[in-house]
Amino acid sequence: MSDILKSVNSLHLEDLGNEIHPSIFDTNEEYQMLIVRLPIINKELTFTSIGFIITDDSSFFYDKSKHEFQKLDSRFEAPHKILNTLVDKLLKSFENYRDSISNIEETLYENKSTDSFMNEWLGLKRDILRIERILIHTTATISDVIESYKEADNFPINNYADLHEHLDRTLRSATLQFSKLDYLYNFYSARTNEKMNHLIYTLTIISAIFLPLNLLVGFFGMNTSGLPFTSGATGTFSVIGLILIISVTTTLIINFIRKKN
């Protein structure tokens, strides 16, 4: 493997060893360098960049931990097999995001408690945005590979086309789920605003009822002479009756205005 290591450009070696290098397909006269960056969905979202060197008759996988190349069994089939395994896992594990978004949707529709909505929404939004951004470059890179090798002997174009289709399907699903999250946020905001408006309306009704009562209580609470109902024995009951009349009148007026609107 030392021969291939010597023939690879030093800048390409740096790219192959870079853990966060984006997907790229670079060609020159001696070899082609393929780096594929993919999401890994387990308990947490991570990413991996896998590097290959493809020559006229063979291909090599770059082992980052050992900083060395491993010769593969075939020029095209072996890289496809490695990538296809990871893409299949990605396609299946992405279902977890769809399930999580569906659960949030059901919770909103059933009007259940949504105290954790924003935390869940932000986490899903961040992950799916990162997946979408990575897959845009990865899908384009696989397209470049297919375009470059489609006339080559023994190139399994159907296998790579299937790999591209799986990546594109995951990308489209990520875009769809991203749009769905925006819709759910708008729905959540509308429902929250509706609750807030109802609360403000209720407080306004209560204020409208008690405002004249406060005025009346303030008036009779003045420490001045000549106030009504101070000379009779039934003054307190008269004030209470006046308060009830004002309360009932205010309530009737508010209901009348509500019905008219």
Side-chain angles (χ1 to χ4, degrees):
M1 299 306 109
S2 58
D3 293 339
I4 184 65
L5 187 61
K6 292 178 180 179
S7 63
V8 175
N9 186 283
S10 60
L11 294 177
H12 284 168
L13 283 176
E14 290 182 13
D15 293 340
L16 290 166
N18 189 348
E19 295 286 349
I20 60 173
H21 199 283
S23 297
I24 187 174
F25 181 63
D26 188 39
T27 64
N28 56 45
E29 295 181 356
E30 296 182 3
Y31 61 84
Q32 295 81 48
M33 180 184 72
L34 171 63
I35 298 178
V36 177
R37 186 159 175 79
L38 291 170
I40 305 296
I41 305 173
N42 292 316
K43 292 183 179 180
E44 293 184 357
L45 176 64
T46 57
F47 298 91
T48 184
S49 293
I50 305 167
F52 302 92
I53 291 294
I54 303 173
T55 63
D56 292 338
D57 55 4
S58 57
S59 61
F60 302 84
F61 168 74
Y62 186 72
D63 189 336
K64 292 184 178 65
S65 61
K66 298 179 180 178
H67 302 288
E68 64 181 23
F69 287 98
Q70 297 177 2
K71 187 174 183 179
L72 301 177
D73 296 336
S74 58
R75 185 185 181 195
F76 298 119
E77 290 286 354
H80 169 267
K81 186 176 181 180
I82 294 173
L83 294 174
N84 191 58
T85 300
L86 292 174
V87 171
D88 282 345
K89 288 181 180 179
L90 171 63
L91 195 61
K92 294 176 182 178
S93 58
F94 191 81
E95 294 290 335
N96 295 332
Y97 286 108
R98 280 198 286 230
D99 292 341
S100 297
I101 293 172
S102 295
N103 291 336
I104 293 176
E105 186 178 18
E106 290 298 322
T107 299
L108 288 175
Y109 289 159
E110 293 174 6
N111 204 23
K112 294 180 180 179
S113 175
T114 54
D115 295 337
S116 61
F117 172 83
M118 285 306 300
N119 288 334
E120 294 180 16
W121 183 85
L122 285 171
L124 290 168
K125 185 89 170 179
R126 177 199 61 201
D127 285 357
I128 292 178
L129 177 62
R130 295 170 68 194
I131 291 173
E132 184 183 38
R133 186 171 62 242
I134 293 297
L135 289 183
I136 288 174
H137 293 289
T138 303
T139 304
T141 299
I142 298 300
S143 294
D144 292 340
V145 171
I146 295 173
E147 183 65 25
S148 177
Y149 291 125
K150 64 182 180 180
E151 303 296 338
D153 295 335
N154 301 322
F155 178 66
I157 188 169
N158 290 334
N159 291 350
Y160 278 83
D162 184 67
L163 181 68
H164 180 273
E165 192 275 331
H166 286 177
L167 287 168
D168 186 62
R169 190 195 313 173
T170 308
L171 173 59
R172 285 185 278 109
S173 181
T175 302
L176 176 63
Q177 298 307 313
F178 195 79
S179 300
K180 196 171 185 179
L181 283 171
D182 287 336
Y183 162 75
L184 291 177
Y185 179 79
N186 292 334
F187 182 84
Y188 172 79
S189 298
R191 201 179 76 173
T192 302
N193 291 336
E194 183 181 1
K195 289 182 178 180
M196 185 63 67
N197 291 336
H198 181 73
L199 177 61
I200 293 175
Y201 178 77
T202 303
L203 293 175
T204 303
I205 296 298
I206 295 173
S207 299
I209 293 174
F210 281 94
L211 185 61
L213 299 182
N214 289 335
L215 179 62
L216 182 63
V217 171
F219 175 77
F220 283 103
M222 292 189 299
N223 190 18
T224 58
S225 59
L227 289 174
F229 310 121
T230 57
S231 58
T234 59
T236 300
F237 294 103
S238 299
V239 173
I240 292 174
L242 182 60
I243 290 175
L244 291 175
I245 292 172
I246 293 176
S247 299
V248 172
T249 303
T250 304
T251 303
L252 291 174
I253 292 173
I254 291 174
N255 286 334
F256 175 77
I257 294 174
R258 286 178 59 188
K259 291 179 180 178
K260 197 169 183 179
N261 293 335

